[in-house]
């Protein structure tokens, strides 16, 4: 076959279609965000200042961000010791844990929330009526696949046995070994899992809406319904948050050649 | 015997994880399963599940399956074409890495912001709608509405396409250059190469990816909810309507619908797993 150096015409057409489909909505949102909410004319930054001066914006953003931090802390506390121990002592359990961690990827959040609402109905209100209880508990489950596969890849790339033996022969206890020896070595994996979790929690709508918690995506939806043009600027800001999280993930993951992951939470 | 006594001790460290899984996954799943078969007042019944086969529930399942099927097939086909266009010889290398990076971000981009991006593009005041109208072609006059099933499908494509690109690219990499050279040395045409080598090798990955896309769209709630203000009749929105208003008078119906969704996805998984296994054969 003759080596083709130049780009094929059909390839150009397909790439242009994809480019148009992906970028036109973003450009349209940007143009919308510059229009005045009173006159509908271009160009003003008033929509951005409306968002920045909205107290509900900061309030819900704070709730979602703190929820993300809580979810990350709980997931790491749950997964780091478990995966460490599985790699060190009970490798037989690894497929079992991988399977369990994958389940939330397959189950739609809408099905999950029906079960959670039913099961936890009647539990104390400090848990059931608080985002820090019920919602965080659900989000840890949503984060399962991303945390597990990031951390598992991290643990596989280090020599758990040698590190542990070296640490213990120098007199370190389990806690010291885990925090001072193992954790620094899987830092980029833990960061990758954390960024993914951040992106999920900052965008999760389904569970928050059905369990009636006022998080950042709920606020965006409220603005969508009530304020035309400020919603565009808010939409772009929420993109920016997701994209920053995803791009940081790519930066952290590049070293280990990790492929981009797919978050299912937001849909 | 001593090995047997040490084993439970080694498992203890993993106990918190299993306890959490039990509490937040299996027991809630069990309560859906039981609730789906519970009567309105007492006792067990299959009437909730049989009600799903009647109007309007069966219509919701039909629409959900149609939307998921359409976006999976079209998204799959276009995603394959775009991924192949980026990977094939002649396309500069940076195109592929740019596309992969962008897809990684865009596949995660859905829900409320996505709905609004489409409203500003194709909504009644959207940029394209206004542009078309001022040039004598009004999409809404031709029966197009963004707040319909078609609109939802169009928006879903925004996360279906990148997912397809991410999932199918490794399989396209698996189409080795040597196979193509060998077939052309043996006198095969471009078409024959695809007919007898390319498509058969890609087929398991393609079908697997399409099932994955189906599940992806089937589970989606936020995008359709925000885009159509909850008016499109799909299963997740019907379930959601029960919790926000009191559209349904029987709480067990929502659980039965959740159970029904789970059943559809379980059938999909039954097809997916063997396909995945076959696809792995050609992976590099």
């Amino acid at each position: 076959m003759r080596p083709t150096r130049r780009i094929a015409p059909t390839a150009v057409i397909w790439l242009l279609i994809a480019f148009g489909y992906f970028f036109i909505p973003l450009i349209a949102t940007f143009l919308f965000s510059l229009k005045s909410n009173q006159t509908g004319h271009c160009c003003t930054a008033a929509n951005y200042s409306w968002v920045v001066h909205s107290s509900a914006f900061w309030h819900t953003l704070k709730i979602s961000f703190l929820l993300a931090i809580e979810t990350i802390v709980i997931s790491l506390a749950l997964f780091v010791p478990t995966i460490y121990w599985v790699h060190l002592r009970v490798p037989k359990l690894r497929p079992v844990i991988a399977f369990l961690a994958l389940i939330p990827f397959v189950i739609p959040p809408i099905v999950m929330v029906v079960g959670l609402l039913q099961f936890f109905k009647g539990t104390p209100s400090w848990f059931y009526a608080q985002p820090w209880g019920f919602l965080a508990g659900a989000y840890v489950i949503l984060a399962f696949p991303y945390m597990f596969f990031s951390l598992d890849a991290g643990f596989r790339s280090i020599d758990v046995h040698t590190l542990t033996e070296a640490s213990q022969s120098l007199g370190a206890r389990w806690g010291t070994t885990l925090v001072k020896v193992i954790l620094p070595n899987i830092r980029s994996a833990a960061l990758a899992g954390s960024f993914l979790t951040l992106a999920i929690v900052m965008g999760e709508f389904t569970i928050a809406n059905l369990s009636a918690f006022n998080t950042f995506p709920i606020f965006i939806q409220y603005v969508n319904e009530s304020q035309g043009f400020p919603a565009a600027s808010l939409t772009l800001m929420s993109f920016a948050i997701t994209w920053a999280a995803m791009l940081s993930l790519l930066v952290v993951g590049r070293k280990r050649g990790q492929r981009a992951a797919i978050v299912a939470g937001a849909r | 015997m001593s090995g047997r006594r040490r084993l439970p001790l080694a498992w203890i460290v993993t106990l918190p994880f299993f306890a959490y899984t039990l509490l937040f996954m299996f027991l809630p799943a069990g309560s859906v399963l039981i609730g789906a078969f519970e009567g309105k007042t007492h006792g067990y019944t299959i009437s909730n599940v049989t009600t799903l086969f009647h109007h309007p529930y069966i219509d919701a399942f039909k629409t959900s399956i149609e939307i998921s099927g359409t976006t999976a097939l079209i998204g799959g086909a276009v995603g394959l074409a775009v991924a192949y266009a980026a990977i094939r010889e002649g396309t500069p290398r940076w195109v592929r890495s740019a596309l992969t990076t962008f897809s990684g971000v865009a596949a995660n981009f859905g829900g409320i912001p996505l709905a609004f991006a489409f409203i500003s593009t194709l909504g009644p005041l959207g940029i394209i709608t206004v542009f078309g109208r001022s040039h004598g072609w009004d999409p809404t006059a031709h029966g197009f509405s963004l707040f319909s099933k078609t609109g939802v499908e169009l928006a879903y494509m925004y996360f279906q396409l990148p997912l397809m690109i991410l999932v199918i690219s490794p399989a396209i990499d698996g189409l080795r250059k040597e196979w193509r050279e060998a077939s052309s040395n043996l006198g095969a045409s471009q078409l024959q190469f695809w007919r007898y080598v390319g498509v058969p090798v890609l087929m398991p990955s393609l079908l697997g990816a399409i099932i994955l896309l189906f599940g992806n769209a089937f589970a989606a709630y936020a995008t359709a909810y925000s885009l159509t203000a909850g008016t499109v009749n799909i299963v997740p929105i019907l379930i959601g309507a029960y919790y926000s208003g009191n559209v349904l008078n029987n709480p067990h119906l929502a659980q039965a619908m959740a159970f029904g969704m789970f059943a559809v996805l379980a059938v999909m998984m039954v097809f997916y797993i063997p396909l995945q296994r076959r696809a792995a054969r050609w992976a590099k």
Side-chain angles (χ1 to χ4, degrees), chain B residues 176-193:
Chain B
R176 284 163 218 183
K177 222 170 92 188
E178 299 88 69
W179 295 348
R180 180 173 274 250
E181 284 165 1
S183 72
S184 82
N185 284 343
L186 293 169
S189 67
Q190 189 83 326
L191 198 73
Q192 281 172 317
F193 168 75

Side-chain angles (χ1 to χ4, degrees), chain B residues 204-253:
Chain B
S205 318
L206 264 180
L207 291 176
I210 286 171
I211 291 176
L212 201 68
L213 260 63
F214 180 95
N216 195 34
F218 194 68
Y221 167 74
T223 313
Y225 175 87
S226 180
L227 197 61
T228 68
T231 57
V232 69
N233 187 26
I234 58 173
V235 187
I237 286 189
L238 212 56
I239 296 177
Y242 165 76
Y243 287 93
S244 46
N246 266 320
V247 182
L248 308 173
N249 56 11
N250 183 353
H252 297 298
L253 260 178

Side-chain angles (χ1 to χ4, degrees), chain A residues 109-132:
Chain A
I110 189 95
V111 172
M112 226 181 267
V113 69
V114 168
L116 289 167
L117 284 173
Q118 171 71 15
F119 181 69
F120 288 106
K121 193 169 64 187
T123 50
S125 67
W126 60 260
F127 176 80
Y128 194 64
Q130 287 293 324
W132 322 118

Side-chain angles (χ1 to χ4, degrees), chain B residues 71-81 160-161 164 206 210 213:
Chain B
T71 59
L73 286 176
I74 299 179
V78 179
L80 175 68
Q160 296 283 64
L161 261 182
M164 184 66 183
L206 264 180
I210 286 171
L213 260 63

Side-chain angles (χ1 to χ4, degrees), chain A residues 115 118-119, chain B residues 22 25-36:
Chain A
Q118 171 71 15
F119 181 69
Chain B
L22 184 72
M25 228 154 70
F26 286 106
L27 293 177
S31 74
V32 170
L33 200 63
I34 295 169

